[in-house]
Amino acid sequence: MVIAKQSGFWIMMLLSFHTVQAQDLTTDSLITRRQIIVKQQASTGRDSTLVATTNLLTERLFNQNDPRAGAYLDSLRLLTAKAKWKKSRGLYLRALGKSFDVKGKYTEAFSAYTQAIEELEKAGGDLYDLTYTYVLAAFVLNNNGLTDRCLQYLEKARPLAEKNQNTNNLGWILDFFGDYNYYSSFGVQNYRKALSYYKQVEKLLPRATSPNLKADNPHCLANCYARLGNEKLANEYREKALAIARKYNNRVVIFAIYADLADVYEEKGQYGKAIEYRRTSLDFARESGWQEMQSRAESNLYSTYKKAGDYKSALLYLEEHKAHEDSMERYKLQNKYNELQAGYDAEKRESQIKNLENESLVQTRNFLIILLLSGIASMVYISRTNRRLRKNNEQLRAKNREIEEALTRGQTMERERMASELHDNLNTKVAAVRWRLEALNGAGWQSSDQKIVSDVLEMINDVYGDIRLISHNLVPEELETRGLKVALQTLIGKLKGNDKVEFNFVFDGNENRLAIAVEYQLYTIVLELVNNIIKHAKARHAWISLTYQTSRVVLTVSDDGVGFNATTSRVDGVGLRNIQNRVEQLRGTWQVESKPNHTKVRVEIPVEEAIITESYT
């Protein structure tokens, strides 16, 4: 009887984790609750409840940027190794994903969430944790520009969420649909439709347990009412949101409240007030520890300072935003998602082929038992089936080629847009500054002042030349129309106009075109290395070598400059990290040798026959 009573007690404890009694507790209350469970006698029910409690506590600590989160994650890992509960590993992987998520390591986060989904699907039982993991994976996709994929994940999770008594997950799904209609970045901005979604979430709050959702929803309602002109309700909901967020130490929601307030004042042209709220928003984003929120806050400050005419401050925050974006490697996650999707499609096709083959074998065996002549019919069936499969596979390959071409076109359009912005906007302003300085009459100035103006003019001329070079090299016409070799020859021709470094170009091999995506990546690598040579190497001569071999393309860039510490720069340098990422995307290898008077970077890319498309013209 005692055993039965203990079993029933732990089952009730575990079920309560998706009710208000568990998730609505403060962090300190959860820690106390866990300590009580640890002291209880070990059993399957007690261990399962301990895993669930530790998981909830760990994820909440990561949300709050609490330094204790790492220790509890280690504890959860050890508990998972011993526990017999089927959901244990899935919960640990989700907490691991959350640890990557808050740091902006989106590739690792999405991988962990995906593995957690697989484990929780195999475990079965209550759908709450599986649904929540789908929601987290969807938000990672959205943060990396894959909004359509995010919506697909949420639509898949919605039927699961509607079956659960706890309304947290359904609330987050509807909340995102509201955000999709509210924020301008999604290109919709239907405030009344957004309000209808947020009101649906408000009705779910009595059965919700998430402190984040309870703080975020009144903040969203405040935004809508402010846009619709009801300042009274907007202020009431905003104060409610701040009170709940402060109670649970939710800095992310507070960051969002001040960010959205700044949007309102910025649209009114009250930039001073907008900047004040932007800076407060950034403070809370930094306190939250979420790299994503810090990057957004810095981007917002850059935009507002730029509109206010304070270009120096705008540039400062733009640089900080760029550093955060580089560290989060959003495009790396997009590539990872495409790889996973391709792997899933290939596995699905392989399964279909195996099923068809097995079906054919069964039919053949039965026919042979009945009559030998039926074997001939089976062979005809198999032959037709194989022809159909080959045709289907060819169609799939053609579709993949279309997708790759579409991606390349999209990248080209973005480069053209950036080049136009640099040439038509920024370069025009730099030229205007140069003309005004040249128009100054410094006849009566002191020699030191005249030298300062002369140095500034020289620096502006360098900047003007750099911008023209960059804007051209973003989308060099020669690269698209005539290929990598001609584009590099043209680049070298332009570089010969500088008086710092003498550049030389050597080409060897068959003059064939590579796939346009490969040519763009190799050209970008050359630009990165040329920029380093001009700015940092203090070299007199530099050489660029391009060799097309049977199975690979070899690119070598070398100079006779001062050299650098290859090990340290490879770890810390943004430029070399970019080169490494590009080489990895092309499945290639690279080496760096550096010492005084000799620095060489060698890149090797494997090339299949199918990659070569056409000859140079």
Side-chain angles (χ1 to χ4, degrees):
M1 292 297 294
V2 174
I3 294 175
K5 183 176 180 181
Q6 285 185 348
S7 176
F9 167 74
W10 290 116
I11 289 174
M12 291 301 296
M13 284 285 288
L14 195 57
L15 289 174
S16 74
F17 252 78
H18 302 322
T19 66
V20 176
Q21 290 112 314
Q23 294 197 14
D24 207 33
L25 293 172
T26 63
T27 301
D28 291 338
S29 299
L30 272 176
I31 292 174
T32 302
R33 187 186 183 109
R34 182 181 181 279
Q35 291 172 345
I36 293 172
I37 298 172
V38 169
K39 295 177 182 178
Q40 301 299 319
Q41 183 177 353
S43 67
T44 301
R46 172 264 192 187
D47 293 346
S48 301
T49 306
L50 183 57
V51 169
T53 308
T54 307
N55 165 261
L56 176 61
L57 178 59
T58 302
E59 292 189 21
R60 182 172 295 181
L61 290 174
F62 276 122
N63 284 337
Q64 297 174 352
N65 193 29
D66 193 304
R68 296 171 292 181
Y72 279 105
L73 182 63
D74 287 338
S75 177
L76 181 59
R77 176 178 57 81
L78 296 175
L79 288 171
T80 299
K82 299 177 182 178
K84 297 180 180 179
W85 190 31
K86 294 181 179 180
K87 286 190 175 183
S88 298
R89 177 160 173 77
L91 293 180
Y92 165 70
L93 286 168
R94 192 177 73 197
L96 180 64
K98 181 62 72 71
S99 73
F100 291 127
D101 202 346
V102 300
K103 297 174 185 175
K105 296 182 177 181
Y106 291 126
T107 304
E108 294 87 346
F110 186 74
S111 177
Y113 288 149
T114 303
Q115 294 178 63
I117 288 172
E118 293 177 359
E119 293 292 334
L120 293 170
E121 285 179 338
K122 288 190 294 185
D126 184 77
L127 297 173
Y128 178 87
D129 288 308
L130 173 61
T131 311
Y132 180 48
T133 312
Y134 267 116
V135 172
L136 291 176
F139 289 167
V140 170
L141 292 172
N142 179 65
N143 287 340
N144 286 269
L146 297 168
T147 304
D148 291 342
R149 303 297 187 189
C150 168
L151 291 170
Q152 291 177 10
Y153 266 63
L154 294 180
E155 289 293 355
K156 187 173 183 179
R158 185 172 182 175
L160 306 179
E162 290 172 343
K163 296 177 182 178
N164 206 279
Q165 182 180 1
N166 187 310
T167 56
N168 284 353
N169 294 323
L170 183 57
W172 283 123
I173 293 170
L174 294 174
D175 178 83
F176 182 82
F177 293 161
D179 291 348
Y180 184 79
N181 284 277
Y182 177 83
Y183 288 102
S184 60
S185 57
F186 295 111
V188 181
Q189 280 195 296
N190 186 334
Y191 299 131
R192 293 197 178 278
K193 191 171 183 179
L195 179 63
S196 70
Y197 279 116
Y198 294 144
K199 294 298 287 185
Q200 291 180 57
V201 176
E202 186 179 31
K203 292 179 181 178
L204 297 174
L205 292 182
R207 290 192 291 123
T209 61
S210 169
N212 292 350
L213 184 62
K214 292 183 177 182
D216 184 66
N217 179 248
H219 151 239
C220 296
L221 287 168
N223 284 344
C224 283
Y225 281 123
R227 295 291 185 178
L228 295 172
N230 193 332
E231 290 295 334
K232 182 176 183 297
L233 281 178
N235 290 332
E236 289 177 3
Y237 275 109
R238 189 176 297 114
E239 289 302 320
K240 182 178 180 181
L242 283 170
I244 298 173
R246 286 167 179 155
K247 175 182 177 181
Y248 291 100
N249 196 26
N250 190 322
R251 301 179 182 92
V252 173
V253 171
I254 300 175
F255 144 77
I257 291 171
Y258 286 114
D260 292 342
L261 268 175
D263 287 343
V264 174
Y265 282 100
E266 183 175 306
E267 291 176 6
K268 295 178 180 178
Q270 299 180 21
Y271 297 118
K273 196 68 175 178
I275 289 172
E276 178 185 339
Y277 282 125
R278 291 274 188 241
R279 294 180 68 88
T280 303
S281 174
L282 176 60
D283 290 341
F284 281 102
R286 286 170 173 167
E287 290 178 14
S288 75
W290 281 75
Q291 299 299 308
E292 174 69 30
M293 305 310 161
Q294 293 183 53
S295 180
R296 291 184 191 179
E298 290 157 356
S299 176
N300 289 338
L301 268 167
Y302 153 70
S303 177
T304 305
Y305 271 121
K306 183 179 177 182
K307 291 179 180 178
D310 187 345
Y311 297 107
K312 180 179 179 181
S313 298
L315 179 60
L316 173 66
Y317 285 106
L318 178 61
E319 290 174 348
E320 293 182 5
H321 168 65
K322 180 68 168 57
H324 267 116
E325 289 296 299
D326 289 343
S327 71
M328 290 189 286
E329 299 179 334
R330 297 186 193 275
Y331 292 107
K332 189 174 181 181
L333 172 66
Q334 295 180 11
N335 293 335
K336 179 68 175 178
Y337 178 84
N338 291 334
E339 288 177 10
L340 290 173
Q341 187 66 38
Y344 170 76
D345 292 340
E347 184 177 327
K348 188 176 180 181
R349 289 196 301 272
E350 184 179 349
S351 176
Q352 291 173 342
I353 293 172
K354 287 182 178 179
N355 289 338
L356 289 170
E357 290 175 347
N358 290 336
E359 181 182 344
S360 299
L361 289 173
V362 170
Q363 291 175 351
T364 303
R365 182 196 64 191
N366 293 336
F367 288 153
L368 286 174
I369 292 173
I370 298 171
L371 195 60
L372 181 61
L373 293 177
S374 62
I376 299 174
S378 297
M379 292 296 293
V380 172
Y381 173 79
I382 292 174
S383 176
R384 290 178 178 176
T385 301
N386 287 337
R387 283 200 300 271
R388 186 168 61 253
L389 288 173
R390 284 194 295 270
K391 181 179 178 181
N392 290 340
N393 286 336
E394 181 59 35
Q395 290 174 345
L396 287 173
R397 284 193 289 270
K399 188 65 176 177
N400 288 337
R401 287 193 293 270
E402 290 177 7
I403 292 172
E404 291 176 357
E405 291 172 0
L407 287 173
T408 301
R409 286 196 299 271
Q411 292 170 351
T412 301
M413 290 172 64
E414 180 62 14
R415 289 189 180 98
E416 289 174 349
R417 186 191 66 80
M418 292 177 63
S420 176
E421 286 289 329
L422 284 171
H423 185 273
D424 298 340
N425 189 354
L426 184 58
N427 223 22
T428 302
K429 294 179 179 178
V430 171
V433 172
R434 183 182 66 182
W435 294 336
R436 292 196 177 189
L437 285 174
E438 290 174 344
L440 293 175
N441 183 4
W445 296 356
Q446 295 182 5
S447 59
S448 59
D449 292 337
Q450 292 178 349
K451 186 177 186 310
I452 290 173
V453 174
S454 175
D455 291 343
V456 170
L457 275 170
E458 183 178 350
M459 292 169 65
I460 290 176
N461 285 332
D462 288 344
V463 171
Y464 184 80
D466 288 346
I467 293 174
R468 289 191 62 189
L469 184 62
I470 291 170
S471 64
H472 172 80
N473 289 329
L474 277 171
V475 274
E477 181 180 354
E478 299 83 4
L479 183 60
E480 294 190 44
T481 58
R482 303 184 63 188
L484 181 60
K485 175 192 171 184
V486 176
L488 291 179
Q489 288 174 334
T490 303
L491 174 64
I492 294 301
K494 293 180 179 181
L495 291 172
K496 288 184 179 295
N498 82 87
D499 57 356
K500 296 180 181 179
V501 186
E502 179 184 339
F503 283 88
N504 298 278
F505 175 65
V506 178
F507 176 82
D508 186 31
N510 295 325
E511 298 189 0
N512 293 322
R513 287 294 303 266
L514 302 177
I516 189 65
V518 176
E519 291 186 331
Y520 266 122
Q521 295 284 43
L522 290 173
Y523 187 80
T524 306
I525 290 172
V526 171
L527 287 181
E528 191 76 56
L529 293 171
V530 166
N531 184 58
N532 287 345
I533 291 172
I534 293 175
K535 290 189 175 182
H536 307 298
K538 299 180 180 178
R540 295 301 304 165
H541 303 88
W543 299 266
I544 299 173
S545 170
L546 180 65
T547 304
Y548 286 0
Q549 299 178 357
T550 303
S551 60
R552 61 185 177 176
V553 174
V554 180
L555 172 67
T556 304
V557 180
S558 57
D559 66 79
D560 58 359
V562 296
F564 61 92
N565 188 323
T567 302
T568 304
S569 297
R570 199 162 184 170
V571 173
D572 299 331
V574 174
L576 292 184
R577 279 206 308 272
N578 290 337
I579 293 173
Q580 180 173 344
N581 290 337
R582 296 182 188 281
V583 173
E584 289 176 353
Q585 289 176 17
L586 297 175
R587 303 183 185 281
T589 59
W590 70 305
Q591 296 177 331
V592 180
E593 300 176 12
S594 184
K595 60 184 179 180
N597 300 320
H598 177 72
T599 296
K600 181 171 75 173
V601 177
R602 178 184 174 91
V603 177
E604 294 188 9
I605 306 299
V607 179
E608 300 176 358
E609 287 298 324
I611 292 179
I612 300 177
T613 57
E614 60 186 66
S615 297
Y616 284 107
T617 56

